[in-house]
Amino acid sequence: MEIIQDRIKKALEHLNNTNLESLEPGKHIINDWLYINVQEYMTKNISDCKYESHKKYIDIQMMINGIEAIETSDVNKLELETEYNEESDVMFWKKKSNQMRTVITDKSYVILYPQNAHMPCIAVDKPVKVKKLVAKVLIQ
């Protein structure tokens, strides 16, 4: 666990020392245990979003510009919708109501562990264009 916490700390230090606005969309490999996906998209109606979780990576989802909501739930409280895909390190879960909701705005972030199913990309008031990064911290 200490190694994982150290990696998260180093990943956050890297993000804090990077000009995030200058990052181009796409995958940026930082080292053998960290890469960053920079994304630009329109947030969506909650009905168009899905819960997902990962086994190999912890997500640090950080908003560069914009605002979105992310719902989270413990995977043990959800029903599996799609089996785990090892190649893409993702599984999908059926939606439930009354889950925890977090709103991220410019330079705020949320850290999501394997037990945290998460539904990102949710429009807060109305769909808006956002630029967000997802730092993927290797667990294994």
Side-chain angles (χ1 to χ4, degrees), residues 67-78:
I67 184 171
E68 82 175 28
I70 299 174
E71 286 201 1
T72 57
S73 179
D74 186 304
V75 295
N76 296 313
K77 295 181 179 179
L78 298 175

Side-chain angles (χ1 to χ4, degrees), residues 12 15 20 36-37 39 41 50 52-54 58-64 68-72 102-113 116-122 131-137:
L12 289 170
L15 296 175
L20 302 177
I36 297 169
N37 281 325
Q39 309 163 343
Y41 56 86
K50 289 186 169 198
E52 64 183 62
S53 67
H54 315 286
I58 292 168
D59 279 4
I60 302 173
Q61 297 200 11
M62 179 180 280
M63 186 60 64
I64 298 172
E68 82 175 28
I70 299 174
E71 286 201 1
T72 57
T102 303
V103 175
I104 59 172
T105 60
D106 298 355
K107 309 306 178 280
S108 64
Y109 62 90
V110 62
I111 299 174
L112 302 158
Y113 292 83
N116 305 130
H118 49 281
M119 185 189 315
C121 308
I122 303 169
K131 183 175 183 182
K132 183 175 93 173
L133 68 80
V134 179
K136 305 291 274 186
V137 179

